[in-house]
Amino acid sequence: MKRIAIFGGTFNPVHVEHVKTVVAAIDELKLDKIFIVPTFLPPHKNVSPASGADRINMLKIAFRGEKKAEISDFELKNAGKSYSYITAEHFRSLYPDAEIFMLVGGDMLKDFKTWKNPERILNAVNLAAVRREDYDFNEKAEREYFKSAFNKDFTLLDFVGKEISSTEIRTYLAFNIKPQGIDEKVIDYINKNAVYPPDAYQKYIFKHLPEKRVIHTANVVICALKKAKELNLDYEKVRIAATLHDCAKYDDYRDYKDFELPKDVPSPVVHAFLGAFVAEKVLGIKDAEILDAIKYHTSGKAEMSTLSKLIFVADMIEKGRSYDGVDILREKYEKDFESCFRLCLKEEVQHLLNKKQYIYAETLNAYDYYVKDKRS
């Protein structure tokens, strides 16, 4: 009996952990063939992927050394949203006598009941789950849940994958920064074919900021986008606000004749106020919430929007920051955003006190409003 597998995903873009997963599945499941199936439009994601042709080409490059891997354009040709039950039944019709596995992330098992027609998937294929290092996988609990929900079991691979963020890869590429975790030949293809071209805001940033600050900006974008969905924020608004938060970092406000600097704004905060001005007057941003997030990303203020809080926090804890205590803030960010925000405000005020620096009134207002007499 033939043993085949289906490995679906956006692959936007394909990275080294995708390849390692496939290699492990071929070995552990004793596969005769595995089909790599890029989605047309994933039902649960809010980012439009690169073109189907580009993703197919990148996959062919990434899997060029694996003879048992075949790239399938089934979902791309079908167009519309890509549902797993349709793909599972398609391959079952092609291989009626084969044992067919569908590779899924271990973290997807608990949510499997929310997939469209999960029973039809399980009637067509068996699930093979892949764990990741960052996911606390309780095999016994997962199997008990799966048994009670579907009266089925799943195969669990020994292979444990590492977390690689496609958002990080795409962001770095758009900011002209070389990402980790992706095949060099795939990067060459991306660059040659402008698969992830910079938009006008990104072009402005790497034209006006030095490399170190461009990397910081990219890291703030990545950090902020990680929480966008959880906080019910508009993905594009988060991306734009994070991209432009430091757009005037090295500008002299006196070069902008129409810019009026509010009274008593300390020099480390000036770029934030000027940045909101540049975003609106030079780059054409009209969204008041985005402009507010840029203006107060350094100082904070009372009654901040969730977007403003997010940019304030992401600016403080992005992965390039290395001050004492930042790891505690990052842990809190993963578990409780509002508590993290309050801790970040406390950290900022304490830092300024320790340095005996002037504390801007808006920062004190924020501290009084969010932190004073409140537990973090």
Side-chain angles (χ1 to χ4, degrees):
M1 179 184 292
K2 274 194 170 184
R3 295 169 67 87
I4 69 171
I6 309 162
F7 184 33
T10 313
F11 304 111
N12 188 36
V14 57
H15 53 65
V16 295
E17 284 302 309
H18 293 137
V19 178
K20 289 179 180 178
T21 298
V22 166
V23 171
I26 290 171
D27 177 55
E28 293 189 41
L29 300 175
K30 309 302 178 188
L31 299 176
D32 297 294
K33 185 179 287 292
I34 181 167
F35 290 94
I36 319 297
V37 189
T39 61
F40 182 74
L41 285 175
H44 59 289
K45 293 190 178 180
N46 51 15
V47 178
S48 296
S51 74
D54 280 328
R55 286 183 289 138
I56 287 284
N57 289 335
M58 289 187 287
L59 285 165
K60 286 179 178 178
I61 294 169
F63 288 99
R64 62 191 179 278
E66 187 48 65
K67 294 180 180 179
K68 291 185 176 181
E70 181 175 323
I71 315 304
S72 168
D73 63 357
F74 170 71
E75 292 189 1
L76 294 175
K77 286 169 68 176
N78 265 9
K81 288 188 176 180
S82 300
Y83 290 108
S84 295
Y85 80 94
I86 296 174
T87 302
E89 291 176 345
H90 167 73
F91 281 97
R92 172 53 67 195
S93 70
L94 294 180
Y95 298 92
D97 299 321
E99 184 169 8
I100 305 177
F101 299 91
M102 177 174 282
L103 294 186
V104 298
D107 55 333
M108 295 181 184
L109 293 174
K110 282 186 179 178
D111 295 328
F112 185 71
K113 65 182 179 182
T114 67
W115 292 23
K116 194 171 183 66
N117 297 325
E119 294 83 4
R120 288 174 65 172
I121 296 173
L122 295 174
N123 284 336
V125 301
N126 299 312
L127 295 191
V130 182
R131 291 167 291 180
R132 285 201 318 257
E133 283 183 344
D134 64 324
Y135 178 68
D136 186 17
F137 191 87
N138 186 325
E139 182 178 353
K140 181 180 178 182
E142 297 287 15
R143 290 194 187 280
E144 288 176 354
Y145 159 75
F146 216 71
K147 180 72 173 176
S148 65
F150 303 106
N151 197 29
K152 293 272 188 174
D153 201 355
F154 57 83
T155 299
L156 181 63
L157 270 62
D158 291 332
F159 170 77
V160 179
K162 294 181 179 180
E163 173 69 11
I164 291 183
S165 168
S166 294
T167 298
E168 178 173 316
I169 291 173
R170 291 192 304 271
T171 301
Y172 274 15
L173 288 167
F175 277 100
N176 202 29
I177 303 166
K178 185 177 180 181
Q180 300 295 313
I182 183 168
D183 189 310
E184 290 281 355
K185 291 188 180 298
V186 174
I187 292 178
D188 290 343
Y189 176 88
I190 289 170
N191 291 335
K192 183 179 179 180
N193 294 277
V195 178
Y196 301 105
D199 64 15
Y201 309 130
Q202 291 160 335
K203 287 180 180 178
Y204 187 90
I205 292 304
F206 55 71
K207 181 179 179 182
H208 286 80
L209 300 184
E211 181 181 11
K212 184 177 180 180
R213 186 56 53 169
V214 172
I215 294 172
H216 163 74
T217 298
N219 286 337
V220 172
V221 172
I222 293 159
C223 183
L225 288 177
K226 188 174 184 179
K227 281 288 181 180
K229 183 177 180 180
E230 177 187 320
L231 298 175
N232 295 314
L233 293 173
D234 181 89
Y235 188 93
E236 270 301 284
K237 287 176 70 166
V238 171
R239 189 187 69 81
I240 293 169
T243 297
L244 298 180
H245 81 282
D246 268 352
C247 66
K249 181 73 175 178
Y250 300 97
D251 290 355
D252 188 332
Y253 74 91
R254 289 165 294 195
D255 292 336
Y256 294 87
K257 294 180 180 179
D258 295 329
F259 175 70
E260 295 183 8
L261 182 66
K263 186 179 179 181
D264 297 329
V265 174
S267 56
V269 178
V270 171
H271 77 279
F273 281 77
L274 181 59
F277 178 87
V278 170
E280 180 180 10
K281 303 300 183 182
V282 178
L283 295 169
I285 300 296
K286 301 302 181 186
D287 188 294
E289 193 175 16
I290 292 175
L291 296 174
D292 218 45
I294 296 169
K295 181 181 289 187
Y296 296 104
H297 82 268
T298 300
S299 66
K301 68 167 187 173
E303 298 185 89
M304 295 170 73
S305 70
T306 303
L307 176 61
S308 289
K309 292 179 184 178
L310 179 59
I311 303 306
F312 178 88
V313 171
D315 181 51
M316 283 189 66
I317 69 167
E318 58 89 357
K319 71 177 187 177
R321 300 294 197 186
S322 58
Y323 55 87
D324 289 342
V326 69
D327 288 336
I328 294 173
L329 295 176
R330 288 175 183 142
E331 288 176 13
K332 184 67 75 171
Y333 186 66
E334 295 294 330
K335 299 175 183 177
D336 185 339
F337 174 75
E338 288 294 332
S339 290
C340 177
F341 168 66
R342 293 195 297 273
L343 280 176
C344 284
L345 271 174
K346 288 173 67 176
E347 170 67 28
E348 175 158 313
V349 170
Q350 190 60 54
H351 172 76
L352 293 170
L353 287 172
N354 291 342
K355 295 288 186 179
K356 297 182 179 180
Q357 293 181 359
Y358 168 69
I359 303 178
Y360 183 42
E362 290 286 16
T363 303
L364 292 174
N365 290 340
Y367 183 87
D368 289 345
Y369 189 86
Y370 290 107
V371 180
K372 202 171 183 180
D373 301 325
K374 293 182 181 180
R375 291 185 178 182
S376 296

